[in-house]
């Protein structure tokens, strides 16, 4: 089933209420052509389960890894992805755009 | 983000209340702003604009990010007709929760609409309980003035973001006359999309459903502001 914002942020709340460590990743800025609009969410729990998206699937893996770190430290992070960035070689956006993703812990 | 804040944001969504989550990208405390708490907020102007456009984003010249949440759009369909059978699953895919109202029990059967909220009642009985609001797409498809006309009057009153009605230009001209005589203001009548749907040469019920949903999407994304 296609998940909506309802499901995504609802899931984050449910995970947190079940006592899990949870992070919310949000697309806060985009430049050029970006696959998901500003305000899109990806939510991640401490086991690496996730729901939603911040790109067309290009950088989700990287965001999940960073989110696990955020859940551990409690320290929010602002991530940037794009072709101009050297991370492009690891996790770039095939469409050539750039995005900034804010990752914060719930709780 | 505190869990209480996330819960409040989710509660606002499920109650169909608009809300804006203000996040400090430098890691400061976040807050939730609603219509009640908007006045006097340091970012009042920016938040007001964001609520109108429904767009999330960083407030220019600041490190504040606004997550804007406006109620998910609803869809009320008057008429358990052939087009509605195509319209309902497509509307669901886009994220609407469609409801069908049709007092004609031969049309409004669960066999024709399995799993759909179906009210076999006259609009006057069914609509008040549906809490039709600004964030509702309203589509009249029965082609029968006895059913469509009172439904459309209700849609005007609730200022739905999209109001569409099936019928040729001729049918629509007569409809405008009737509704006008019934007291509908000219600016409300001018808002009715008729013939319903974008003009893409749609012929089959499914194609007409596509054209209607394209027009609804356009109204939602470009017009609701």
């Amino acid at each position: 089933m296609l998940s909506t914002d309802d499901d995504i942020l609802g899931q984050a709340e449910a995970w947190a209420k079940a006592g899990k460590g949870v992070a919310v990743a949000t697309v806060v800025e985009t430049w050029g052509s970006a696959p998901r609009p500003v305000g899109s969410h990806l939510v991640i729990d401490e086991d690496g389960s996730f729901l939603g998206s911040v790109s067309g699937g290009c950088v989700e893996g990287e965001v999940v890894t960073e989110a696990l770190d955020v859940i551990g430290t409690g320290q929010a992070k602002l991530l940037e992805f794009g072709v101009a960035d050297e991370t492009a070689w690891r996790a770039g956006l095939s469409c050539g755009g750039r995005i900034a993703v804010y990752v914060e812990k719930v709780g | 983000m505190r869990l209480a804040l996330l819960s409040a944001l989710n509660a606002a969504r499920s109650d169909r209340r608009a809300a804006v989550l203000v996040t400090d990208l430098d890691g400061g405390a976040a807050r939730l702003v609603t219509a009640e708490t908007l006045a006097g907020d340091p970012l009042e102007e920016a938040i007001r604009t964001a609520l109108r456009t429904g767009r999330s984003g960083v407030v220019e010249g600041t490190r504040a990010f606004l997550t804007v949440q406006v109620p998910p759009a609803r869809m009320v369909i008057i008429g358990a007709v052939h087009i509605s059978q195509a319209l309902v699953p497509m509307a669901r895919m886009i994220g609407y929760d469609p409801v069908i109202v049709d007092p004609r029990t031969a049309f409004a059967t669960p066999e024709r609409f399995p799993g759909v909220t179906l009210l076999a009642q006259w609009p006057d009985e069914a609509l008040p309980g549906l809490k039709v609001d600004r964030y509702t797409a309203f589509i009249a498809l029965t082609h029968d003035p006895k059913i469509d006309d009172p439904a459309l009057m209700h849609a005007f009153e609730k200022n739905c973001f999209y109001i569409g009605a099936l019928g040729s230009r001729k049918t629509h001209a007569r409809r405008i006359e009737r509704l006008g005589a019934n007291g509908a203001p000219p600016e409300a009548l001018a808002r009715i999309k008729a013939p319903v749907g974008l003009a893409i040469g749609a012929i089959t019920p499914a194609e007409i459903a596509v054209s209607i949903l394209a027009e609804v999407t356009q109204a939602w994304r470009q017009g609701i502001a």
Side-chain angles (χ1 to χ4, degrees):
Chain A
M1 215 190 94
L2 192 66
S3 39
T4 64
D5 278 353
D6 283 27
D7 307 320
I8 297 164
L9 292 179
Q11 183 67 71
E13 186 181 344
W15 277 332
K17 285 186 168 161
K20 291 201 167 187
V22 177
V24 173
T26 307
V27 177
V28 293
E29 276 188 273
T30 65
W31 299 266
S33 77
R36 296 283 288 131
V38 169
S40 301
H41 298 293
L42 175 73
V43 299
I44 306 98
D45 81 354
E46 62 189 30
D47 303 324
S49 303
F50 63 90
L51 194 66
S53 67
V54 292
S55 75
C58 335
V59 303
E60 271 74 5
E62 189 82 10
V63 173
V64 169
T65 306
E66 295 285 352
L68 293 175
D69 190 47
V70 167
I71 292 170
T73 64
Q75 207 62 44
K77 285 187 187 186
L78 190 58
L79 312 172
E80 275 197 35
F81 299 97
V83 286
D85 200 279
E86 87 173 36
T87 58
W89 297 103
R90 284 183 293 142
L93 293 173
S94 52
C95 45
R98 277 202 297 144
I99 60 172
V101 178
Y102 186 72
V103 187
E104 60 182 324
K105 185 178 180 175
V106 174
Chain B
M1 185 192 337
R2 284 176 293 120
L3 175 55
L5 214 50
L6 177 60
S7 299
L9 185 69
N10 285 337
R13 190 199 323 271
S14 75
D15 293 348
R16 296 180 65 76
R17 285 182 283 117
V20 175
L21 179 68
V22 185
T23 304
D24 176 3
L25 294 181
D26 290 330
R31 66 180 186 279
L32 194 67
V33 180
T34 62
E36 292 77 40
T37 60
L38 178 57
D41 190 279
L43 295 174
E44 182 176 344
E45 268 323 294
I47 292 173
R48 205 175 286 284
T49 305
L51 278 171
R52 204 171 58 238
T53 59
R55 279 203 196 98
S56 298
V58 176
V59 179
E60 221 183 304
T62 73
R63 297 285 290 157
F65 179 77
L66 307 181
T67 299
V68 181
Q69 183 175 277
V70 293
R74 277 188 174 156
M75 182 173 291
V76 172
I77 302 166
I78 308 299
V81 297
H82 200 172
I83 294 170
S84 315
Q85 288 177 312
L87 191 55
V88 164
M90 291 185 196
R92 281 189 171 151
M93 227 171 167
I94 299 179
Y96 295 92
D97 183 15
V99 177
I100 298 180
V101 175
D102 194 329
R104 301 168 302 176
T105 48
F107 285 85
T109 68
E111 291 73 35
R112 286 164 50 78
F113 293 91
V116 180
T117 306
L118 193 58
L119 301 170
Q121 293 174 309
W122 288 90
D124 289 345
E125 302 165 313
L127 293 176
L130 290 180
K131 298 203 182 104
V132 173
D133 63 12
R134 173 83 180 129
Y135 302 101
T136 304
F138 199 99
I139 302 157
L141 298 176
T142 71
H143 223 268
D144 180 342
K146 285 198 305 300
I147 305 169
D148 282 354
D149 285 9
L152 289 167
M153 294 299 282
H154 188 83
F156 296 152
E157 195 186 309
K158 302 298 180 184
N159 196 23
C160 298
F161 79 91
Y162 177 89
I163 304 175
L166 189 70
S168 67
R169 282 183 180 79
K170 226 182 199 168
T171 307
H172 187 57
R174 284 197 297 272
R175 177 189 291 133
I176 294 280
E177 273 177 33
R178 283 194 313 272
L179 292 172
N182 223 335
E187 59 272 21
L189 295 172
R191 291 198 50 224
I192 305 176
K193 300 288 189 188
V196 72
L198 291 186
I200 55 172
I203 290 178
T204 67
E207 288 172 357
I208 294 168
V210 168
S211 81
I212 293 172
L213 285 170
E215 193 168 50
V216 170
T217 304
Q218 185 179 50
W220 178 249
R221 291 298 177 192
Q222 298 178 346
I224 192 137

